[in-house]
Amino acid sequence: MCGIIGFTGNIPAKDIILNGLERLEYRGYDSAGLALLENGEVTLHKRTGKVEALRNLCASDDNSATCGIGHTRWATHGGVTDVNAHPHHAGNVVLIHNGIIENYRQLIVEYGLADKLVSETDSEVVAQLLNIFYEGDPIAAIKKTIKLLSGAFALCIMFKDIPDKIFAIRNVSPMIATHCDQGSIIASDLTAVIAFTKDYFVVPEYHILTLTKDEIVVEDLKGHVTKPEILTVNWDIEGAQKGGYPFFMLKEIFEQPDAIRNTVSPRVEDGLPSFEEDGIDDAIFEHCKRITIVACGTAMHAGMVGKQLIEEKLRIPVQVEIASEFRYKNPIIDENTLTIVLSQSGETIDTLEALKLAKTFGSKVLSIVNVKGSTIARESDYVLYTHAGPEIAVASTKAYTVQVAAMYLIACRLGLVKNIITETMARQFISKLLSAPNIIEETLKQAEEIKRIANQIKLSPDAFYIGRGLDYVMGLEAALKLKEISYVHAEAYAAGELKHGTIALITENVPVIAFATQEKVYDKVISNIVEVKARGAYVVLVSMDESVTDTKVCDCHIRIPRLDSEFTTFATAVILQMIAYYTSEAKGLDVDKPRNLAKSVTVE
Ligand code: AGP
């Protein structure tokens, strides 16, 4: 996710901005830049690469400017290039932006900006619009521009002819601000400001901030000045990077709504899935007769969701392969097979080697990767980057759900290109996918109930996840999550298979978490639950059913919002992640760094 920082005060701004950008590096980025304003002149440096490289670039500047803005870019619209880096400069305006302007293409056409633009970014479009509307009144120009934008944005803006002032406004994308002895500071999060002060305020949405060295004025769009509540942090720098959460994993669980918005929204055009920006050729979907999905661990589990969707809806055969197995078999793939590779890090050696093997059989490779420019991305024919931001915890959460979201987009695009589904069906499907972030936000509210369940599960050396169809696939991910961070030996089982042996392991108080969100097999799963309950299991039921209160069926019930069965995965994902997280936390374990595990398995 991009990082932004702005400073105006009574000391030079350059090092404050560079140091702040370094503190924001954990957010993940591929480019960095800054702009300093002094005597009506703008000194602007920006390039791909690290903040350190930017610091070197600015080293010779003897700029004593006390007003400036800085940015670390996590590319969404437009490739990783110097010109796409921020800040963007258009006439009188210099700005930095974190977010996604969903209607930027339409604005380019409406305001005839095509010949003015030098970058491929949505952010530059905002700079150009501000410059068009700016006739000496910055607030008026900002109001006019903001009315046109749809999407998420956190903007810091300087006007060349307005010395020592920074203007800012946000919608959805995060931004905090503070005034201290040195001046006024605004940033994406606390990490960049905590070195100066622990008092800050959250920038209210759709309020225009005017930062000067003496104060920060906050006014709503009607010009009413407001005073946001001042908050105080009790974190150190490392804590700030966790955004106040005790572990990165919990922070990343709660980042999932935005991660999915940032991954899906840029790929929806007029309500339909579009990979135009990604340069993914529809031909790979048109010509494929079958699909092979290759990955490891959680990434593979995301691929298994894709298998269920594609086979169920499109009747196209999908084979999911464990990369370390696939590498050493003689795979049955050819030029009519589309190989989809999933990897958060883009560096998993087994997945990389499997990708190379697939290509030797003439198969086109589309990879779903979260780290830009990673090896798997570079080796693939096509890449669909997820925009989850950096995932620090070893246990993958937000990277998993954005991989799942990417599979939904691919399934929909595949069905459209092959004329298996109509545009109307595709629009309905995409509209349900766009509501996934809200479903997750709703489900996250059950954290307290899940904590109570975790306190029961932590007492047991074993646990079972059961389900059918998509719920069984989610059970596989649930078992892995619980094992890898709480060390409870968990196993996922197709609910109908339990009585063919494994039910022998069900004894008093053994936790059995049943996912029962698939309507057509709901009653079957309930009867499987009754079987294990009768043998003393501690049963957690996860379903959409409001009516379940009978303790003969379950010991506790986590209800998820009523949805189409094929879209319950996002709610189930958050529940399984929170069960694992709170069990590990209840056991006093290091949730982010579980024993024996690495974030990226770059060795065989
Ligand atoms: C995820 O919780 C695990 N840590 C692990 O299974 C991971 O998904 C797997 O190693 C694949 O990593 P990748 O997505 O970076 O390729």
Side-chain angles (χ1 to χ4, degrees):
M1 321 278 210
C2 301
I4 59 178
I5 180 169
F7 171 79
T8 181
N10 39 43
I11 58 174
K14 185 172 79 170
D15 284 344
I16 290 177
I17 289 168
L18 288 167
N19 297 341
L21 290 180
E22 274 172 359
R23 291 229 169 85
L24 292 169
E25 286 187 300
Y26 81 94
R27 297 171 67 87
Y29 69 107
D30 42 60
S31 319
L34 63 76
L36 300 168
L37 176 60
E38 187 173 38
N39 306 324
E41 287 306 317
V42 172
T43 306
L44 191 154
H45 294 293
K46 62 181 186 176
R47 60 184 298 170
T48 58
K50 294 300 177 195
V51 173
E52 192 50 38
L54 177 67
R55 189 184 288 276
N56 296 336
L57 203 57
C58 308
S60 56
D61 293 356
D62 59 0
N63 207 313
S64 55
T66 59
C67 180
I69 52 180
H71 186 270
T72 50
R73 180 175 184 244
W74 177 271
T76 48
H77 286 102
V80 179
T81 62
D82 293 351
V83 77
N84 285 341
H86 300 210
H88 288 286
H89 188 179
N92 255 316
V93 173
V94 186
L95 72 77
I96 52 179
H97 167 226
N98 176 25
I100 288 176
I101 306 301
E102 291 165 1
N103 63 332
Y104 81 103
R105 289 193 195 88
Q106 173 195 332
L107 292 169
I108 291 172
V109 172
E110 268 179 50
Y111 288 87
L113 300 177
D115 298 342
K116 294 186 168 72
L117 296 170
V118 294
S119 78
E120 306 160 301
T121 65
D122 53 344
S123 311
E124 189 193 355
V125 170
V126 181
Q128 295 288 352
L129 291 172
L130 278 164
N131 190 50
I132 289 171
F133 296 136
Y134 179 59
E135 295 166 341
D137 179 345
I139 302 292
I142 291 170
K143 285 179 183 173
K144 270 188 190 164
T145 304
I146 291 309
K147 284 200 182 89
L148 300 174
L149 305 184
S150 69
F153 50 83
L155 294 164
C156 286
I157 307 156
M158 296 191 298
F159 295 87
K160 279 171 69 174
D161 58 349
I162 304 179
D164 305 330
K165 283 189 181 179
I166 296 171
F167 299 86
I169 188 165
R170 68 176 275 260
N171 175 45
V172 178
S173 297
M175 200 149 61
I176 54 104
T178 185
H179 184 265
C180 56
D181 299 341
Q182 294 86 341
S184 297
I185 307 178
I186 188 162
S188 311
D189 67 43
L190 282 163
T191 311
V193 306
I194 202 163
F196 294 94
T197 172
K198 297 205 167 189
D199 297 330
Y200 70 102
F201 65 88
V202 175
V203 173
E205 290 187 321
Y206 285 108
H207 282 63
I208 299 174
L209 272 63
T210 304
L211 288 82
T212 68
K213 63 181 172 46
D214 303 313
E215 61 174 351
I216 300 176
V217 175
V218 182
E219 58 186 284
D220 66 19
L221 296 182
K222 292 193 172 63
H224 302 136
V225 175
T226 62
K227 291 265 183 223
E229 181 193 359
I230 298 298
L231 307 172
T232 302
V233 293
N234 53 8
W235 309 320
D236 55 19
I237 288 280
E238 204 252 349
Q241 290 191 346
K242 291 179 190 160
Y245 290 97
F247 290 102
F248 277 108
M249 183 178 172
L250 191 60
K251 174 170 175 279
E252 289 154 10
I253 286 173
F254 277 78
E255 283 178 338
Q256 291 181 109
D258 280 349
I260 291 174
R261 287 188 187 101
N262 291 340
T263 298
V264 173
S265 300
R267 293 163 175 130
V268 177
E269 267 301 293
D270 187 24
L272 295 173
S274 162
F275 296 137
E276 196 182 329
E277 285 275 301
D278 305 289
I280 297 173
D281 186 343
D282 274 347
I284 63 171
F285 299 123
E286 208 168 333
H287 304 319
C288 86
K289 292 190 170 56
R290 72 185 67 79
I291 293 173
T292 291
I293 295 176
V294 189
C296 300
T298 291
M300 183 190 62
H301 293 151
M304 292 179 82
V305 173
K307 170 185 170 73
Q308 291 282 113
L309 290 172
I310 294 169
E311 289 193 339
E312 184 77 19
K313 281 186 89 68
L314 310 181
R315 315 307 297 152
I316 296 172
V318 180
Q319 176 80 9
V320 177
E321 298 274 4
I322 298 171
S324 54
E325 289 295 301
F326 179 82
R327 288 182 65 185
Y328 300 104
K329 67 194 288 190
N330 189 8
I332 305 171
I333 61 176
D334 59 20
E335 65 284 357
N336 296 316
T337 308
L338 169 62
T339 298
I340 299 177
V341 165
L342 295 97
S343 177
Q344 187 286 130
S345 63
E347 300 300 342
T348 301
I349 188 72
D350 282 324
T351 309
L352 174 62
E353 293 307 317
L355 178 164
K356 290 177 183 173
L357 176 63
K359 290 176 81 167
T360 64
F361 286 81
S363 173
K364 286 290 181 213
V365 174
L366 164 62
S367 64
I368 301 173
V369 178
N370 195 46
V371 177
K372 286 182 179 45
S374 54
T375 308
I376 286 175
R378 291 198 309 272
E379 292 288 331
S380 301
D381 297 303
Y382 301 96
V383 187
L384 197 167
Y385 279 118
T386 50
H387 301 317
E391 192 174 64
I392 311 296
V394 165
S396 185
T397 50
K398 61 178 182 175
Y400 168 69
T401 44
V402 295
Q403 287 166 351
V404 169
M407 288 310 306
Y408 277 77
L409 284 168
I410 289 171
C412 192
R413 188 76 207 160
L414 178 63
L416 265 179
V417 167
K418 282 185 165 297
N419 296 314
I420 300 169
I421 61 174
T422 64
E423 285 201 356
T424 305
M425 293 160 75
R427 282 199 174 85
Q428 287 164 355
F429 186 85
I430 292 297
S431 131
K432 289 171 192 162
L433 179 58
L434 288 169
S435 65
N438 303 335
I439 297 299
I440 288 179
E441 283 164 349
E442 200 52 38
T443 309
L444 286 167
K445 293 173 185 167
Q446 306 218 44
E448 287 310 310
E449 171 66 6
I450 292 172
K451 268 186 196 169
R452 280 192 285 280
I453 291 166
N455 279 313
Q456 181 67 32
I457 293 174
K458 75 173 184 182
L459 306 174
S460 172
D462 305 299
F464 292 85
Y465 280 93
I466 64 172
R468 292 173 183 248
L470 264 178
D471 282 338
Y472 166 56
V473 169
M474 299 309 289
L476 291 168
E477 174 57 14
L480 174 61
K481 276 282 129 354
L482 190 60
K483 278 185 286 193
E484 66 176 323
I485 62 171
S486 77
Y487 316 146
V488 171
H489 180 241
E491 202 169 338
Y493 240 82
E497 186 62 10
L498 212 55
K499 53 183 162 310
H500 297 281
T502 303
I503 200 164
L505 295 178
I506 304 299
T507 55
E508 197 64 24
N509 285 330
V510 166
V512 175
I513 301 102
F515 293 147
T517 72
Q518 303 302 295
E519 301 265 32
K520 70 181 181 185
V521 288
Y522 175 76
D523 293 336
K524 299 289 182 196
V525 176
I526 293 298
S527 62
N528 296 141
I529 292 173
V530 170
E531 288 160 9
V532 296
K533 189 83 184 80
R535 288 160 177 80
Y538 167 74
V539 175
V540 178
L541 173 62
V542 178
S543 82
M544 297 185 277
D545 189 340
E546 294 85 351
S547 63
V548 171
T549 52
D550 180 351
T551 51
K552 281 200 296 299
V553 171
C554 61
D555 295 277
C556 52
H557 179 213
I558 303 173
R559 216 177 64 70
I560 64 171
R562 182 150 291 283
L563 300 159
D564 279 12
S565 291
E566 65 188 354
F567 282 91
T568 60
T569 46
F570 298 100
T572 311
V574 168
I575 290 166
L576 70 89
Q577 292 164 355
M578 289 199 284
I579 288 174
Y581 173 83
Y582 287 118
T583 303
S584 178
E585 192 189 45
K587 293 180 75 172
L589 298 170
D590 183 349
V591 180
D592 286 338
K593 302 186 192 76
R595 65 189 181 208
N596 310 337
L597 293 178
K599 183 57 186 168
S600 177
V601 183
T602 54
V603 293
E604 298 203 29

